[in-house]
Amino acid sequence: MTFSLIANLLTLVIILTFYLVRRKKFSEALWLRRVDAPTLWEGVAFAPGLYLVVSIVLASLPESWLESYNEASAGITTGGAVGVLAVVVAAPVVEEIVFRGLIMTRLSQVMPGWLAVLVSAAIFGACHGHPVWFGYAFVLGSVFGFMDLRAGSIWPSILGHIVFNSFSQIITALPGTDEAE
């Protein structure tokens, strides 16, 4: 997890440096625009429901898929405070900046917004590697992308992604879960 945290922070530094060198306002280019409070909190409001849907779908997958998913997920442990920081803060911020702030916004300049959302969500899913991760990352990317497209800002998806990953960390830490035992 330490490596993941360092990689995410390095990615942020590179992106911000790129915009500073080019003397471009990164907040506008990356859709880090201000939004009103109700719009800002949409991501937070949707995250628990998204987590519930993903959990229900995961529970209904065929046993062979679950075994493969659990095997692939076994290497992902929080590793204490550094791991939680990497999973709950760094990963959501970097992923939203890259996939919604950079990729989706650029695609939306050359294609309809809805298609840009779906293409960026597919890229987001593919970068997660495992077929099961692809599925739910695509769904999350789509929901967050449409939310951001409507808001004109990636702040709602950053907050939603943080809450979604927080739910995951809390649930897996509860007594009686495989990860907590």
Side-chain angles (χ1 to χ4, degrees), residues 41-54:
W41 292 104
E42 282 180 356
V44 173
F46 278 114
L50 287 171
Y51 188 82
L52 179 63
V53 168
V54 166

Side-chain angles (χ1 to χ4, degrees), residues 84-171:
V84 170
L85 188 60
V87 171
V88 174
V89 180
V93 170
V94 171
E95 289 176 355
E96 293 308 316
I97 286 174
V98 170
F99 293 101
R100 258 61 70 201
L102 286 172
I103 295 173
M104 186 188 80
T105 60
R106 298 317 176 271
L107 289 173
S108 67
Q109 294 173 358
V110 296
M111 61 181 61
W114 64 268
L115 185 57
V117 167
L118 296 178
V119 170
S120 67
I123 296 167
F124 179 60
C127 287
H128 279 75
H130 193 276
V132 174
W133 287 333
F134 172 86
Y136 75 76
F138 176 79
V139 170
L140 288 174
S142 297
V143 170
F144 290 151
F146 283 116
M147 188 183 325
D148 291 346
L149 192 62
R150 188 177 144 286
S153 173
I154 64 169
W155 283 115
S157 66
I158 289 173
L159 287 177
H161 201 148
I162 288 170
V163 170
F164 183 90
N165 285 12
S166 296
F167 265 82
S168 175
Q169 293 298 300
I170 292 166
I171 297 298

